[in-house]
Amino acid sequence: MTVAIVTDSATALPPALAERHRITVVPMWLQVGGERVREGERSLEELVAASGVTTSGPSPGEFIEAIERRRSRDGVLVVTIAASMSSTHQAAVIAAGALDAPVRVVDSTTAAGAEALVVLAAAEAAERGLGLTQVAAAAERAREAVRLVATIPSLEHLARSGRVPGIAGWAGDRLGINPLFEFRRGEVHRLRPAMSRQAALDRIVSLCRRGASPGHRLHVAALHALAPDDGHRLLEQVRDLQPATSFVSEFGSVMVVHTGPGLAGLAWWWEPT
């Protein structure tokens, strides 16, 4: 038996990858028109058009159920969205403390495709037969190296959400036509804006390629929020780097509620071999 991996749906992990690596995904929640619905139960287009949509993370009980379902003699590792963004991490910590079982919880300090890359690093370590401490260490190494850089048509959704630290006050900044930001280690950093959408996408690719060096493997996810063409184009522009991991990650509804439509970017890390 190997260490089991559990995460939350903020990873936007493609279902085929989750199934291949036997990763259990606990859904986030949305409040839509007074009705509480699980992530994935409403279309992204419907949620973007709706007003007053709010989001919340899984409860400790939902994590307990997922951990019990995947309980392994070798332990369970739970990787969560950044604690700075959501109560999800604290719910997972509470769940782990309530169980008489070997469970570790790792704060990915990021979200979306970057969180997915941290989760996959842990899953691959588990598949090699490593123990719980080593699997957690693999997730932490990826967490320290992973970057998420994206462009978005407007920062207003992020500013209104109040969920992303560092965004408040940016919505009124009109100096750049295409805002660029990096989310890393639990914080958002504003990057120099680009004068066009294409220039923003080109700069994201350039930042990813800049980390290439002999003896390192690239793990990369192309991110998008209702902008699939941009997501696929971004991934194509780094395929010549022969990434060890590569996939397109469409934002789930919880993330799209906070970013709005049109986000596109890359999450990546370079692994020493």
Side-chain angles (χ1 to χ4, degrees):
M1 297 177 69
T2 60
V3 172
I5 308 297
V6 174
T7 190
D8 55 72
S9 60
T11 58
L13 188 66
L17 272 179
E19 183 177 356
R20 183 188 311 164
H21 294 282
R22 301 188 67 243
I23 297 165
T24 297
V25 180
V26 182
M28 307 283 274
W29 289 88
L30 302 101
Q31 192 81 17
V32 186
E35 181 184 0
R36 192 166 183 254
V37 297
R38 285 187 178 87
E39 182 162 36
E41 290 182 347
R42 298 287 181 89
S43 72
L44 295 181
E45 291 81 2
E46 178 184 358
L47 292 167
V48 168
S51 60
V53 178
T54 60
T55 64
S56 61
S59 68
E62 288 169 304
F63 275 114
I64 287 173
E65 181 183 349
I67 292 166
E68 290 280 23
R69 193 165 65 246
R70 291 297 312 281
R71 186 190 285 249
S72 161
R73 181 180 63 229
D74 297 324
V76 178
L77 180 72
V78 183
V79 179
T80 72
I81 186 175
S84 60
M85 285 186 69
S86 171
S87 63
T88 299
H89 177 74
Q90 185 59 28
V93 170
I94 292 170
L99 291 168
D100 183 18
V103 181
R104 291 278 295 273
V105 181
V106 169
D107 176 0
S108 73
T109 72
T110 187
E115 181 187 355
L117 292 175
V118 175
V119 172
L120 288 171
E124 289 167 3
E127 288 163 0
R128 296 198 301 271
L130 300 181
L132 182 57
T133 298
Q134 294 167 303
V135 171
E140 289 163 354
R141 282 193 297 273
R143 174 186 69 187
E144 294 306 305
V146 74
R147 299 184 66 179
L148 188 165
V149 180
T151 184
I152 196 166
S154 168
L155 288 165
E156 292 185 11
H157 276 84
L158 286 174
R160 286 202 309 265
S161 77
R163 287 295 189 93
V164 182
I167 283 289
W170 289 10
D173 186 348
R174 298 290 186 252
L175 293 177
I177 296 172
N178 281 261
L180 275 158
F181 69 91
E182 177 170 9
F183 185 49
R184 190 178 188 191
R185 297 180 181 175
E187 296 183 352
V188 175
H189 304 276
R190 178 166 45 174
L191 304 180
R192 179 169 54 88
M195 297 306 291
S196 71
R197 173 86 168 180
Q198 189 57 54
L201 297 175
D202 289 345
R203 193 182 308 159
I204 292 168
V205 171
S206 177
L207 287 170
C208 177
R209 299 181 73 90
R210 193 177 298 171
S213 60
H216 286 65
R217 300 193 308 161
L218 174 63
H219 302 272
V220 61
L223 322 171
H224 75 87
L226 295 173
D229 291 345
D230 284 339
H232 286 281
R233 276 196 294 265
L234 283 168
L235 193 60
E236 283 303 315
Q237 290 183 71
V238 295
R239 284 203 187 277
D240 64 299
L241 298 172
Q242 299 181 326
T245 306
S246 64
F247 57 93
V248 175
S249 175
E250 181 179 24
F251 271 24
S253 50
V254 166
M255 295 297 295
V256 173
V257 164
H258 295 306
T259 67
L263 177 144
L266 290 175
W268 72 89
W269 70 288
W270 288 91
E271 179 187 16
T273 56

